[in-house]
Amino acid sequence: MTDPLVALRPWEAPEVTSWGRLPMNAAVRRPEARCLDGDWRFQLLPAPDAPLGDVWSSSQVPGAWTLQDTGDLPQYTNVRMPFAQFPPGTPAANPTGVYEREVEVPGDWVGRRIVLQVGAAESVLLVHVDEQPVGISKDSHLAAEFDLTDVVRPGSGSVVRLTVVKWSDASHIEDQDQWWHGGITRSVMLYATDPLHLADVTVRAGRSGELRIDCTVRDARGALPGGWHVSGDLEGLPLTQDAEFDRVNAEDERVSDFLGEARLHTTVADVRAWNAETPELYDLAVRLHRPDGTVADASHHRIGFRDVEIAGRDLLINGERVFIRGVNRHDFHPLTGRTPSGDDMRADLVLLKRFGFNAIRTSHYPNDPALYDLADELGFYVVDEADIESHDHAHEIADDPRYLNAFVDRVSRMVLRDKNHPSVVIWSLGNESDYGAGHDAAAGWVRRHDPTRPLQYEGAAKLDWAATDDASDIACPMYAPIEDCVAHALSGRQTRPLIQCEYSHAMGNSNGTLADHWAAIESTPGLQGGFIWEFWDHGILQRLSDGKPVGRAGTGLYGGGVAAPGHRWAYGGDFGETIHDGAFIADGVVFPDRTPKPALYEHREIAAPVRIEGVRHEGIVLGNHQHFRGLDWLAGQWELSLADGPGLTAPARLPDLPPGETAAVRLPFELPRDGGEAWLTLRVTTAEDQPWAPRGTELCLPRVRLREAAAREDSPADQPVEVDDEGLLRHPLLAAAPTLCLWRAPTDNDELGGIAARWRDWGLDALARTVVSVRRDGGRTTVDAEYAGTTGVVRHRQVFTAVEGGIRVDEEAELPDEFHDVARVGTVFETASGLDLLEWFGQGPWESYPDRSAGAPVGHHCLPVEELFTPYLRPQESGGRHGVRRFTLSAPDATALAVELDAPRQVSVTRFRAEDLTAAAHHDELVPRSGCVVHLDAAHRGLGTASCGPDTSASYLVPPGVHRWSWTLRGGRAAGGVTPAPAGD
Ligand code: GAL
Ligand code: MG
């Protein structure tokens, strides 16, 4: 006999969003749930209607079967669907996982209402119990509940079968930019309630302390009994039942006899309002009583009192126009795919707090329920996004009536689940699905059901940021150029807040111009922030020997951003997929193991709660840039760095400063008269333990220059400078002489933005050097050379002069107009091996670039050469340090090579040539050279974000024409020290 659930072919029926599924709700119980996680019997069928075989393997729940050696592997596509069929069609080859296990139903559940909850299954779930069809669910990132009261018998066992069909009509609206998986990715449980139960609880709590709780009540046995009632308490203090509602079930004819409603209320005096800085939560318990007063059901919540509203073009939290320092976050894990643990999610949020974020967009689906509890507790403003993205067929689907129900279903279920979280301040209708009637229908539902929160949808607002009648209360563009945002805010046409739902694409070495974005946001009324794309690099840990994902066995096989030897972070194409979008899946501010990328330090500084506003004769002016808090939770230390002298440190006393205000404070020391260039940094840490940072955690490093560098003169010396007939400098510590370089290993932004293709066209990656002349004149040698590309020739001059203890190199390069936008103009040389430690005076310690240098203070820094390099998943330009004035590379035996620069310059010291980086597709393919590859750049192009969004701005481009720079090389070999590296190949 054909199974009725299969006969219906629900995987190609968008009208069918569920069957037999219970309504979503926000009642939070602490039931004696039976957790059904663990190993289930498992078969992977080739299609949903294929017959079940006799052989079972096993699969872990929760988990993606694509990471469990089942033969079906992860596949990464961005926009395009991984199969050719148009919506609602599916491919004939449609992996279908059948999960089965025995479930013991406790004997004392007799007379109870028994519910099965499946946390998440993608993309269609069919439920059978003892071969009886029980239900169907779609909506891969929300739980589905089924009433099993009539199909199981307490005291005996039942066989629960969960069939999960991978491809369906729903896949076409779950076409988010991420890995495709199959499986049950959140926990499964069985629990019991009284038949008389809380069907839903809705909490409304404003910053004035007013609390209102609406309960709906049902009785699974049929009509409600007379005399039931609810009670509640907040932090142990009883709430009042609303008079208007108190007899709601008994005699009030307005109410049906099967659906009860009751309202509780109170006003909390001196309430401690919730906001992302001080996320104050209160314990709420709501109880449903049987007529005899005994408790039939109870729901527990941690609630926050806060207001969210839009006033004019401002989004206000508790009346304050807060800046939204957000990030887009997927539920991701490099071993389990989509199943982060509670500890994982806490670690994500703790890291975000430490790096200055206060907001999360749950791109692009409702996240694990635990995420919202953590956001409530730790303090984040959440844009909660429905699981709708039809990117590949967006236009066809947005108005397709067959999908209408799915749109409303997905949005409404999200709202019904998450409405009681203070952290959720905005609902989002989904992502990249064009704009159609489906959206308007869903928007209508939300605005009716929850008028307390704004709604956003990029696809609606993008048609006209200034519109007032679409499905979005916020203009929430993605990757809009800063100038466009500012122009809109200044146009007089702005009607609603402008908060970018995605900006500053973090793929590879990126996030250039982040500080410029924020300078504009903070100075332009009407601009309020945005959400960086994105948190994670979604690399999956892969074994190189057999190409398989390592799965849960990979615990500990990574660290510091890199996979252990024999492994790598897989991206699109690495599992043999023919249709894929490569490394575009690696575009986060953290590596797959959550190691922060340097861009995070940039963000941390831009978001600094306390800043140095300037220097006045009364002292250093500090400003409090928070919205709700003083500075009392912070501690500070002054650090004075002198270019030519020992530094000074002293504790800083932070003033008592309300949000938005400034005050001048005196430095506890005098600036020494000598020592040259002087920088003052305020190292700000947590003064007390915070839930997300122990006492002493560094939060920001605001700084100011107190004295400019003095001009320096090198005294001429008599010793000769050795330059060969090719005009190449010879030096015992150099393995390759300094030559001109205009090229960098293209970053993802360079490649995807099309910039690198231009550089290749111009031949910048293989300039041909010809020496024109070598003129020797006493202690000075002048070398003229030409560097020919395919379209232009660069004239380059190096003047080598012997100076006290070293060689001064004055360089000049003249770029033809054809080379109007190059990666860099500078010097590259290679050192002998053994020089493994870099000390520098300049910006650091983190990697920084001209348009991403706000995070790195000027001072003396020191790191082993290995640690200077950032292991981006796809190798590219990496490891640069901005604003370097001088540096020393040294060996343990004190052999050292020192470089003094004429001005703060971009410098990089790595083990790789640009061509080494360009040739490798994954970090593990790189073979470090024994010496160092050193770049000193007169000019270096900004990073921008052109892999998806605006390129860097004009001021960070490297123009044609004449560039001049000078540097002095000093160094010597101590006995038995450094060996020259092989010069070439
Ligand atoms: C956006 C999209 C994201 C992601 C990003 C590029 O357009 O909403 O899901 O694809 O581009 O990484
Ligand atoms: Mg997309």
Side-chain angles (χ1 to χ4, degrees), residues 735-736 741 824 827-832 835 838 865 868 878-879 887 889 907-917 927-936:
C741 184
R824 56 162 40 116
T827 308
V828 60
F829 62 79
E830 294 180 28
T831 72
L835 300 169
L838 185 79
V865 170
L868 292 165
S878 165
F887 63 87
L889 262 168
V907 167
S908 77
V909 179
T910 69
R911 298 282 186 216
F912 309 106
R913 296 181 184 163
E915 64 255 35
D916 301 340
L917 299 169
V927 183
R929 290 176 183 272
S930 59
C932 299
V933 179
V934 180
H935 283 272
L936 324 172

Side-chain angles (χ1 to χ4, degrees), residues 14-151:
E15 307 85 343
V16 179
T17 54
S18 69
W19 174 76
R21 188 177 69 190
L22 292 169
M24 183 60 91
N25 64 80
V28 185
R29 299 186 177 84
R30 293 181 193 139
E32 334 91 74
R34 297 265 139 155
C35 176
L36 303 184
D37 292 350
D39 285 332
W40 288 51
R41 283 193 295 278
F42 182 74
Q43 288 193 29
L44 190 65
L45 308 180
D49 45 7
L52 202 61
D54 300 326
V55 185
W56 293 86
S57 60
S58 78
S59 177
Q60 194 169 11
V61 173
W65 73 59
T66 30
L67 296 172
Q68 296 186 33
D69 206 5
T70 56
D72 188 27
L73 286 164
Q75 176 175 4
Y76 165 56
T77 65
N78 170 14
V79 176
R80 57 190 150 164
M81 289 297 290
F83 52 82
Q85 284 72 19
F86 295 130
T90 57
N94 188 355
T96 299
V98 182
Y99 296 80
E100 222 182 66
R101 62 166 282 172
E102 278 75 38
V103 172
E104 281 301 315
V105 182
D108 58 3
W109 284 8
V110 174
R112 309 274 284 162
R113 167 180 165 264
I114 299 167
V115 178
L116 172 72
Q117 184 187 83
V118 180
E122 64 186 88
S123 68
V124 183
L125 170 70
L126 312 180
V127 181
H128 294 81
V129 174
D130 296 331
E131 311 219 333
Q132 297 299 306
V134 166
I136 299 176
S137 179
K138 296 176 187 171
D139 198 1
S140 296
H141 294 90
L142 282 176
E145 291 193 334
F146 304 91
D147 189 336
L148 301 191
T149 315
D150 293 338
V151 286

Side-chain angles (χ1 to χ4, degrees), residues 78-79 175-177 364 389 391 431-432:
N78 170 14
V79 176
D175 181 22
Q176 291 95 353
D177 177 2
H364 300 300
E389 174 163 343
H391 207 159
N431 189 56
E432 296 187 321

Side-chain angles (χ1 to χ4, degrees), residues 392-536:
D392 200 7
H393 301 290
H395 185 60
E396 299 94 310
I397 289 178
D399 279 305
D400 184 336
R402 292 172 300 174
Y403 275 96
L404 178 71
N405 185 23
F407 276 50
V408 179
D409 187 61
R410 285 161 184 255
V411 172
S412 62
R413 279 171 29 90
M414 169 183 75
V415 172
L416 287 167
R417 186 190 72 165
D418 295 334
K419 62 190 169 186
N420 294 336
H421 288 281
S423 57
V424 174
V425 295
I426 297 170
W427 303 116
S428 163
L429 298 178
N431 189 56
E432 296 187 321
S433 305
D434 204 324
Y435 180 29
H439 296 101
D440 281 336
W445 190 95
V446 179
R447 284 173 171 155
R448 168 110 197 160
H449 189 85
D450 181 22
T452 72
R453 290 177 177 89
L455 181 63
Q456 77 174 47
Y457 177 53
E458 183 267 343
K462 78 170 168 198
L463 303 175
D464 176 4
W465 292 358
T468 51
D469 57 354
D470 61 25
S472 193
D473 301 323
I474 294 173
C476 45
M478 38 175 80
Y479 312 108
I482 315 170
E483 314 79 70
D484 294 7
C485 297
V486 172
H488 179 67
L490 299 180
S491 68
R493 289 187 69 236
Q494 190 177 1
T495 52
R496 46 187 169 177
L498 200 167
I499 301 169
Q500 293 215 55
C501 72
E502 295 176 27
Y503 81 110
S504 199
H505 197 247
M507 185 178 187
N509 191 356
S510 186
N511 304 100
T513 72
L514 194 60
D516 305 77
H517 270 277
W518 276 93
I521 291 164
E522 293 190 349
S523 61
T524 312
L527 303 187
Q528 246 183 292
F531 296 80
I532 288 181
W533 186 267
E534 65 173 308
F535 183 62
W536 287 109

Side-chain angles (χ1 to χ4, degrees), residues 556-581:
L557 286 175
Y558 47 76
V562 295
H567 299 80
R568 69 178 176 191
W569 299 127
Y571 55 72
D574 290 343
F575 294 112
E577 320 102 280
T578 45
I579 301 176
H580 67 82
D581 289 301

